[in-house]
Amino acid sequence: MIDFRYHLVSIIAIFLALAIGIVLGAGPLKEDIGTTLSSEVTKLRAEKADLNTQLSDAKSDQQAAMTYGAATLPLVVNGRLKGQTVALVAGPDSPTDLVDDVADAVVAAGGQVGPRVRLTKDMISTSGAQARSEQVASIAAAAKVTAGDAADLPAVLLARSVVSGGASAPVYDETFGPTVLPKLKSAGLLQYSEGAPGPATSSILVAGPVSSDSAEQTTAEQKSYLRIVGALDRVGRGPSPPPRPRRPRPPPTPGSPAASSPPCAPTAPPTPPCRPSTTSSSRWGRPPRSSRCSSSWSARWVATG
């Protein structure tokens, strides 16, 4: 049984420790603790202010970049896609707003938005590659499509289904896209909302961020995107080259030699000297040799000079 004196000693020890803490806190430790806490609070406040400044600057820069892009976009892309139909191929993680912005840019460039296809993760991922390769090989065999590398078959089938018009593209078959695209969709490689989209003359790939659990998987997805880009480029026509603007020649500065001197007229080349001749050629109805020499040299200079 616990004695009452035990409780009394415990209570006294608690109040004694409290008193010692108060004395030390108000005495020798007051300055160190207060200074440390004040410096930490000041440091945290400075870091917060610095972060707020950086955030404000980043927002201002982003807004300025968006304003500049919106103002210069019509001037940069004007007429680049005139008369072309552009297919939009979106990656599995590409934002829908970004794809819509690209579609607006196509319209601003004078083009027409064609088929819109969104790839699935299975199209670029290496997971389930064996089963996917068998399905793609079956689709390619039915469509009579071959590729140097079996890994390029999905990209080749996609490109030939939505794009046609390039110089190196095969003759487009109107039944190719409506036949192949539903099979690729059934295989889980891509998606599209409406019926099988028709062909386009050019294409734009809107790839989303590539993030995987391992570096090997990330590299594999990047290679898949490269295969798709290469296949689309081979069958597409590409944008029209921009016109080369003529740079106006600045006016001459007053007082400069170019402003004060009149334009020079071309001068005739000097006539080479000929030996004077005293022999007359009047019997042949020709002028003397000296005049013939002068005229022949002038004619030769004009013809070859």
Side-chain angles (χ1 to χ4, degrees):
M1 185 175 181
I2 300 177
D3 192 2
F4 175 74
R5 288 178 298 178
Y6 177 80
H7 292 286
L8 182 61
V9 172
S10 299
I11 294 173
I12 293 173
I14 292 173
F15 280 100
L16 181 61
L18 181 60
I20 294 174
I22 293 174
V23 171
L24 293 176
L29 299 181
K30 177 181 179 180
E31 296 297 332
D32 295 338
I33 296 177
T35 303
T36 303
L37 292 178
S38 298
S39 62
E40 290 294 333
V41 171
T42 303
K43 182 179 179 181
L44 291 176
R45 287 178 179 175
E47 291 179 355
K48 179 182 178 182
D50 186 41
L51 291 176
N52 287 334
T53 303
Q54 294 180 12
L55 179 60
S56 178
D57 293 343
K59 288 183 178 180
S60 300
D61 293 343
Q62 183 182 14
Q63 184 62 35
M66 294 177 64
T67 303
Y68 177 80
T72 58
L73 177 65
L75 302 176
V76 174
V77 303
N78 184 25
R80 295 295 304 276
L81 297 176
K82 183 178 181 180
Q84 295 201 39
T85 303
V86 181
L88 299 182
V89 181
D93 298 326
S94 58
T96 304
D97 296 341
L98 179 60
V99 180
D100 294 337
D101 292 342
V102 174
D104 295 338
V106 170
V107 176
Q112 181 180 359
V113 179
R116 300 180 64 161
V117 177
R118 179 172 288 274
L119 308 177
T120 62
K121 198 70 174 179
D122 293 338
M123 183 70 169
I124 62 174
S125 176
T126 57
S127 59
Q130 183 64 30
R132 182 174 65 252
S133 61
E134 295 177 356
Q135 290 178 322
V136 171
S138 176
I139 297 173
K144 298 180 180 180
V145 174
T146 58
D149 188 354
D152 295 335
L153 279 177
V156 173
L157 291 173
L158 169 65
R160 290 187 56 181
S161 298
V162 298
V163 181
S164 178
S168 60
V171 179
Y172 182 75
D173 185 1
E174 294 182 355
T175 63
F176 189 88
T179 303
V180 174
L181 279 179
K183 294 181 180 179
L184 295 176
K185 183 178 181 180
S186 300
L189 300 180
L190 53 83
Q191 298 174 352
Y192 52 88
S193 57
E194 301 176 355
T201 57
S202 301
S203 61
I204 297 177
L205 174 61
V206 186
V210 178
S211 58
S212 301
D213 298 334
S214 62
E216 296 179 356
Q217 179 68 20
T218 301
T219 303
E221 292 185 5
Q222 292 173 347
K223 290 182 179 180
S224 298
Y225 274 124
L226 291 177
R227 292 190 182 97
I228 295 173
V229 170
L232 291 172
D233 181 67
R234 284 190 293 270
V235 298
R237 193 169 68 187
S240 304
R244 301 182 62 180
R246 292 185 176 181
R247 181 177 298 178
R249 180 177 297 178
T253 306
S256 62
S260 58
S261 60
C264 299
T267 58
T271 303
C274 298
R275 291 182 302 173
S277 174
T278 57
T279 305
S280 174
S281 303
S282 58
R283 60 175 180 164
W284 299 105
R286 299 178 184 177
R289 183 183 300 175
S290 59
S291 61
R292 294 203 313 269
C293 177
S294 174
S295 61
S296 63
W297 269 95
S298 300
R300 187 182 304 172
W301 186 283
V302 173
T304 61

